[in-house]
Amino acid sequence: MKPKDTEGEILRAAEQEFMLKGFDGAKTASIARAAGVTHAMLHYYFRTKEQLFDRILTDKMSLMGRSVLTAFGDSRLPLLERLKEGISRHFDFLMENPDLPRFVVNEVFSRPERYEVMRESISRLANSLMQGIQCELDALAEQGEIVAIDVRVLMLDIISLNVFPFIAYPVIEPVFGSLAADRQQFFEMRKAENIEVIMCRIKK
Amino acid sequence: MKPKDTEGEILRAAEQEFMLKGFDGAKTASIARAAGVTHAMLHYYFRTKEQLFDRILTDKMSLMGRSVLTAFGDSRLPLLERLKEGISRHFDFLMENPDLPRFVVNEVFSRPERYEVMRESISRLANSLMQGIQCELDALAEQGEIVAIDVRVLMLDIISLNVFPFIAYPVIEPVFGSLAADRQQFFEMRKAENIEVIMCRIKK
DNA sequence: ATTATCTATAGATCTATAGATAATGC
DNA sequence: ATTATCTATAGATCTATAGATAATGC
């Protein structure tokens, strides 16, 4: 017999509903139904819709932040490899979580105060990652291997290229979908292109 | 005396409310209040919230589509200039309409059927624009001035780089805001960087 | 006569909770 | 004894409309 995990079921259902419809579009009744529990259970475990939502959003923001750190965090590789690997791993993460960036970006936009608590820790982690990369960029530039560039500029190039196609897929598909046979292949092509773009940007 | 334009006031207020909060977050009562009219007027002029919304969304989708065409449409310029000018004009358009892409992308995602009617015409216009650019790309590549590239790949690079910072600004600001003194300057820097990236991508 | 506007309210939907009942762990 | 669950419903909010009234254009 399965010892049913009501709280877990609610979280799973809530994640799905909130990611798909956002806070305003999500209905607690719909979450309860998907979780296979009665409506009152949401309030028993999470008090309010807002608190349940905060739990999901916090998880997702943290996941999105970590994805960048782990993708680019391997400091054993030589810089160019580290960047290529980073782009590739970050892109793979997005293929596993295609709706994540839109969800986070939207909810932060519609209620910025939700982001306040994370601002500082996010900023600190990102800076520490980028500081290491900046050193290596500077070293290679010194040797004349690459052009000099601010790591923040470069990282924003990378993230723009990687994330945008996922956020905008439904809108761009009619125009750019013809590039590939299917969605999967389309994204594989983008991954390769993004690496190419970034290498062109920094190589001399 | 101003001959009051109720319908126009409602449209203005609705645009603001929908762009800021999305369809689900927007309230007809709030739109009416902002328009300075009674609530029943919305229904008198537009029947339903849905119809009022469709009017706004259609306008915005069309505006976003046209922005790309007009930015890159100047076929008198030599190709590299045309691309630089295109990136720059498209970026300027986004600076004037920073919330537009997020709005469109979101609403299309949450109810894809809203996009169906435009899919074909959008795709046709885009293809005709890109066909012209592809010819010039091929010619320059033939001459060995640039590398060979599919215009769709290149345009998606451009649009990703240009649009993403606007969509994600509230999320990326804590990390990348330190690049510039203020928001305005931040975006000016991005515009220059995006041109640089694209030139690096195609130049030999 | 037609068009525009207002007041009042119906009707639907949604979140939240009260209070009773069943299950669980000492 | 405490924790989990259910039923029933309160209370708030939101969209939409009916019906009366005022303004406008022939």
Side-chain angles (χ1 to χ4, degrees), chain B residues 36-161:
Chain B
V37 303
T38 170
H39 188 191
M41 288 296 94
L42 298 209
H43 297 283
Y44 178 73
Y45 283 102
F46 300 96
R47 292 276 309 153
T48 66
K49 179 186 181 185
E50 183 89 30
Q51 279 184 44
L52 176 56
F53 178 79
D54 279 349
R55 170 79 171 265
I56 304 290
L57 179 61
T58 305
D59 283 359
K60 292 302 176 185
M61 287 196 297
S62 150
L63 177 63
M64 215 176 71
R66 285 199 315 273
S67 76
V68 176
L69 295 184
T70 61
F72 291 88
D74 189 347
S75 56
R76 294 161 309 182
L77 295 168
L79 181 64
L80 293 187
E81 292 311 311
R82 184 180 182 182
L83 289 177
K84 286 191 214 173
E85 267 297 305
I87 297 167
S88 178
R89 283 187 205 152
H90 182 241
F91 200 94
D92 289 342
F93 167 81
L94 292 168
M95 288 182 81
E96 301 288 320
N97 299 274
D99 295 337
L100 183 58
R102 176 178 23 233
F103 173 66
V104 171
V105 153
N106 267 324
E107 300 301 334
V108 169
F109 173 77
S110 69
R111 289 185 188 77
E113 63 278 13
R114 284 177 178 147
Y115 194 44
E116 282 308 313
V117 280
M118 309 204 71
R119 277 178 68 104
E120 179 158 326
S121 69
I122 291 249
S123 154
R124 200 170 25 226
L125 286 175
N127 285 335
S128 107
L129 169 74
M130 290 197 293
Q131 204 173 336
I133 298 176
Q134 184 71 71
C135 285
E136 300 201 49
L137 282 170
D138 293 344
L140 274 191
E142 188 71 24
Q143 295 169 234
E145 298 281 318
I146 63 170
V147 299
I149 190 169
D150 186 308
V151 63
R152 293 167 297 177
V153 170
L154 189 64
M155 284 301 296
L156 191 43
D157 291 341
I158 293 171
I159 292 173
S160 297
L161 289 163

Side-chain angles (χ1 to χ4, degrees), chain A residues 196 199-201 203-204, chain B residues 79-80 83 137-149 154 196-204:
Chain A
E196 177 69 19
M199 290 301 115
C200 289
R201 174 66 182 85
K203 275 186 182 155
K204 247 193 182 144
Chain B
L79 181 64
L80 293 187
L83 289 177
L137 282 170
D138 293 344
L140 274 191
E142 188 71 24
Q143 295 169 234
E145 298 281 318
I146 63 170
V147 299
I149 190 169
L154 189 64
E196 177 70 17
V197 170
I198 296 303
M199 289 300 115
C200 290
R201 174 66 181 85
I202 59 177
K203 274 185 184 156
K204 254 200 175 136

Side-chain angles (χ1 to χ4, degrees), chain A residues 136-149:
Chain A
E136 300 201 50
L137 282 169
D138 292 345
L140 275 192
E142 187 71 25
Q143 297 170 230
E145 298 280 320
I146 63 169
V147 299
I149 190 167

